[in-house]
Amino acid sequence: MPIYVIKRDGRGEEFSPEKIVVSCLKAGAPLDVARKIARIIECDLLKSGINEVTTKDLMKSVLSYLRQENEEWYRNWIVFDRAVKKRKSEE
């Protein structure tokens, strides 16, 4: 059963671990760490048995794992969200 991500505008799209990988790479994480974080989050979602997750909750999970790996990558994500996307990340 697929997992759907509910976007900020209310639309839903199928969960794609590759989007997490790309976001982590943009934050400065190396490919192996980015893939590890995406796998862990995908497993967490599957274990939970839910079929929907909001982008806000998904981002909180990614930020938590990213911070555990490297504080600088975490800060890079926060700065990118503020500067480029013009929003505050849910810290």
Side-chain angles (χ1 to χ4, degrees), residues 27-40:
L31 183 59
D32 62 324
V33 174
R35 285 184 175 155
K36 179 177 99 173
I37 290 171
R39 275 193 311 271
I40 290 169

Side-chain angles (χ1 to χ4, degrees), residues 7-89:
K7 310 291 277 178
R8 292 177 193 271
D9 64 4
R11 290 180 299 119
E13 68 178 42
E14 196 166 336
F15 173 75
S16 171
E18 201 56 35
K19 286 189 171 191
I20 293 173
V21 172
V22 170
S23 294
C24 289
L25 289 172
K26 286 180 182 179
L31 183 59
D32 62 324
V33 174
R35 285 184 175 155
K36 179 177 99 173
I37 290 171
R39 275 193 311 271
I40 290 169
I41 289 174
E42 184 175 26
C43 287
D44 288 349
L45 291 170
L46 291 170
K47 284 180 195 174
S48 73
I50 62 170
N51 59 358
E52 288 185 353
V53 63
T54 64
T55 54
K56 181 180 178 178
D57 289 339
L58 192 57
M59 183 171 60
K60 283 181 180 181
S61 293
V62 174
L63 284 172
S64 174
Y65 285 114
L66 201 58
R67 190 175 212 172
Q68 289 174 31
E69 291 291 333
N70 184 298
E71 184 73 25
E72 183 179 350
W73 303 336
Y74 167 81
R75 284 193 313 270
N76 289 345
W77 180 304
I78 301 298
V79 168
F80 179 82
D81 257 12
R82 287 183 183 150
V84 177
K85 295 189 176 182
K86 306 292 186 212
R87 66 174 181 229
K88 290 185 179 181
S89 300

